[in-house]
Amino acid sequence: MQEAGVNLVSLGIFSWSRLQPGPNEFDFEWLDRVMHLLNEGGIKVDLATATASPPPWLTHQHPEMLPTLADGARLWPGARQHYCPSSPVYREAARSLVERLSARYKDHPALVMWHVGNEYGCHVAACYCDVSAIDFRTWLRARYGSLEELNRAWGTDFWSQRYSDWEEILPPRQAPTWPNPGQCLDFLRFSSDALLACYEIERTVLSRVTPGIPITTNFMRFFKPLDYWKWAVQEDIVSDDVYQDPSEPEASSLESAMAGDLMRSLGQGRPWILLEQTTSRVNWRPVNVPKRPGQMRLWSFQAVAHGADGVMFFQWRQSRSGAEKFHSAMVPHGPVESWPAWREVVQLGAELGRLDALCGSRVPAEVAIVFDWESWWALEQPSKPSANVRALEQARAYYEHLYRANISADFAHPEADLKAYKLVLVPNLYLVSDAAAAGLAAYVSGGGRLVMSYFSGIVDPADQIRLGGYPAPFVELLGLRVEDFAPLAVGETIPVRFEAGQVATGQIWSELIRPAGAEVLARFEAGPLKGEPAVLRHTFGSGVAHYIGTTLDSIAMGALLEQARMEAGVTSVAALPPGVEAVRRQGDSGSFLFLLNHQDAEVEVEAAPGLDALTGERIEGGRLRLPAYGVAIIKEDLAEGQ
Ligand code: GAL
């Protein structure tokens, strides 16, 4: 570990059955020994609470704590995460283990962070059992107060679903056809909250016993079942697990950039930790392609560029047995010295050790992308005009252009204060609260620039249509009204002609838009909507809002966003050849420019003068060579007055 520069170890994540072999039996001696060894070696510990995989004796005694699927099937123990999030038995057993663990190690010199659970919801994000039903009702009572309110919110007169007693309410179990959408949406909210309650139970113990030790739980990028906006505020440090697919390097690089920006945004700009990645192969794809030499280092520094202050791995030693024995690790099954990935691990460890000055610095962003879990959940429920409008794809269709142009972006909750941003992008906000709608309008009228796509502002938080003409809460802001939706068939495209003459294509969606003050920038060129507006621009107060009524092809979308960002005065970190990413972090100890070559070939780039933070050498400006998958971190010379 010392050779690899390891200074922090996540320890004991799946060790419950070892720590507590029976209801009243505990064995901490082995953990004492490991903690001691690490401490002696100068290595700190991110100690896991070990609650992600309940031991066999617990589920044997309490089979009622096992999770149940929507169709009533109960999941058996034998893998991991086999617990119902609402189970009082699970919650109490977890709490009591955490009491013991924290009491034992609270003063241990190696302890510097707590790792609560593990990837909450990764295998079991919701449970439909009777215990969950009771918990769901309690949650609903707190939300609605009365049954009348619940009936109103869920629109239960439709299909004769009116409830006359709380006891009649169930999780949305497998039914003949679509369960009530309000019920489904609330169940998603409840399920995220039920897991959050499990996390909170442990966090409460830890913050009482070790008030100074920061607490994290590892996120999974854009993980749909958990509303990370709600989770992140309960964490001292946001952390994430990223497993790129080396067989799709370009998409992987883009997605990890996007995930990095999300993690930073979830922590309100604070540095986060890349808690899990792997040196080479995973074991859970149908085919597990290894990382190419250099890719692990590149993707590690990419996380740092996007705001991570720590880079960790799953796992230290590749296991000999168990379900993950073909998953790569820092130490392989075979000889370590001859394994190229080990040399890369050692190099990375040494390099990260030289970057202390970077810690605590931030990634300045002038653009925000509005992203919301509740809207994501509601949008992707069945029975919509088109099942092909997907929240993450919509966000990605915007994000990719910023990424390629080296423009840093934050993600923002729809109700966030957006004043600091020069440009706000709303790829899709199907569900919108009154507060969010008012906030977006106030942002634009106060001088902000906004770009919004179709099927936004359609429903309220109860998933009820906002009446008065679509998109009701944005009609004034956008200066238009949508009279009807005309989704496109799979594979169908529609030509879109811009006023300046260029012809683009739209896919997934089209709609009949009536301008009411907005200027038309492009029109549909064929089909029943021929001649009708497709892209519009509206001056609202002292700001400007763009509206896009289809999914434009990538070139047209890029051009539109380029135009919007020029008008908004948004700057790019650097203009570089395709496949080379530039990100800037800034802090008290200076400004650091990351240049990341995602290509399998050497490139030459323009470089500003500064100090190479990895080698300590001076870069005098001019041309800089970046090898395939190469990385440069330049501590930039600041001009007078900067
Ligand atoms: C994560 C998990 C680890 C390990 C890893 C394999 O989901 O937290 O325990 O299973 O994936 O890629």
Side-chain angles (χ1 to χ4, degrees), residues 14 80 118-119 122 218 241 243 276 282 284 314 324 327:
F14 295 101
R80 61 177 178 182
N118 190 68
E119 290 193 343
C122 145
N218 43 347
D241 296 351
Y243 292 96
E276 284 186 20
V282 296
W284 41 262
F314 170 83
E324 297 187 313
H327 195 293

Side-chain angles (χ1 to χ4, degrees), residues 329-356:
M330 295 164 87
V331 176
H333 289 148
V336 72
E337 304 76 26
S338 55
W339 193 43
W342 170 254
R343 288 198 292 276
E344 203 171 313
V345 163
V346 172
Q347 181 190 354
L348 177 71
E351 289 175 329
L352 288 171
R354 289 177 213 136
L355 295 179
D356 284 359

Side-chain angles (χ1 to χ4, degrees), residues 7-11 31-47 105-114 213-214:
N7 58 4
L8 182 65
V9 166
S10 300
L11 188 59
L31 187 57
D32 292 349
R33 195 160 39 84
V34 180
M35 293 281 286
H36 175 73
L37 269 172
L38 288 169
N39 191 52
E40 290 288 285
I43 295 169
K44 299 295 181 195
V45 172
D46 164 33
L47 189 56
Y105 297 106
K106 65 179 173 20
D107 298 319
H108 199 288
L111 175 70
V112 294
M113 184 159 83
W114 287 110
I213 303 289

Side-chain angles (χ1 to χ4, degrees), residues 249-494:
E250 216 183 302
S252 286
S253 296
L254 185 149
E255 283 160 18
S256 8
M258 195 162 152
D261 288 344
L262 176 69
M263 292 304 136
R264 187 184 69 246
S265 307
L266 290 170
Q268 306 301 317
R270 298 193 314 270
W272 53 282
I273 294 180
L274 175 62
L275 206 130
E276 284 186 20
Q277 61 162 341
T278 194
T279 47
S280 182
R281 273 178 294 107
V282 296
N283 63 309
W284 41 262
R285 294 194 175 99
V287 176
N288 297 294
V289 172
K291 286 182 182 168
R292 300 243 182 135
Q295 267 180 339
M296 182 278 286
R297 175 176 174 269
L298 170 71
W299 281 326
S300 299
F301 280 121
Q302 188 190 29
V304 177
H306 287 265
D309 268 4
V311 174
M312 300 174 79
F313 290 86
F314 170 83
Q315 52 194 329
W316 170 244
R317 190 186 301 280
Q318 190 170 19
S319 50
R320 184 180 187 187
S321 52
E324 297 187 313
K325 55 183 171 295
F326 289 108
H327 195 293
S328 63
M330 295 164 87
V331 176
H333 289 148
V336 72
E337 304 76 26
S338 55
W339 193 43
W342 170 254
R343 288 198 292 276
E344 203 171 313
V345 163
V346 172
Q347 181 190 354
L348 177 71
E351 289 175 329
L352 288 171
R354 289 177 213 136
L355 295 179
D356 284 359
L358 195 75
C359 288
S361 61
R362 304 274 177 133
V363 180
E366 296 172 333
V367 182
I369 302 175
V370 172
F371 191 84
D372 182 35
W373 265 262
E374 298 205 354
S375 181
W376 185 3
W377 294 335
L379 173 73
E380 294 184 9
Q381 291 204 57
S383 170
K384 292 288 182 339
S386 169
N388 296 329
V389 185
R390 316 288 298 174
L392 217 46
E393 281 169 26
Q394 296 266 113
R396 198 188 139 127
Y398 275 70
Y399 183 86
E400 66 173 327
H401 299 289
L402 304 175
Y403 170 73
R404 297 221 170 88
N406 295 312
I407 292 165
S408 292
D410 286 342
F411 287 90
H413 185 272
E415 290 180 18
D417 183 354
L418 300 166
K419 273 199 300 292
Y421 296 103
K422 291 185 176 167
L423 178 64
V424 169
L425 307 176
V426 188
N428 169 275
L429 196 59
Y430 165 71
L431 175 154
V432 66
S433 68
D434 292 347
L440 289 169
Y443 165 74
V444 178
S445 71
R449 306 269 169 163
L450 177 134
V451 183
M452 181 182 279
S453 282
Y454 59 88
F455 211 43
S456 291
I458 304 301
V459 296
D460 66 13
D463 196 26
Q464 297 207 1
I465 301 292
R466 289 181 170 279
L467 298 176
Y470 314 124
F474 300 132
V475 161
E476 307 274 300
L477 163 66
L478 300 170
L480 57 86
R481 209 174 280 280
V482 174
E483 295 214 328
D484 207 359
F485 308 132
L488 301 174
V490 175
E492 186 185 353
T493 57
I494 184 167

Side-chain angles (χ1 to χ4, degrees), residues 55-72:
W57 61 262
L58 186 59
T59 48
H60 182 65
Q61 283 187 358
H62 293 283
E64 76 279 10
M65 66 169 274
L66 293 167
T68 299
L69 304 179
D71 65 0

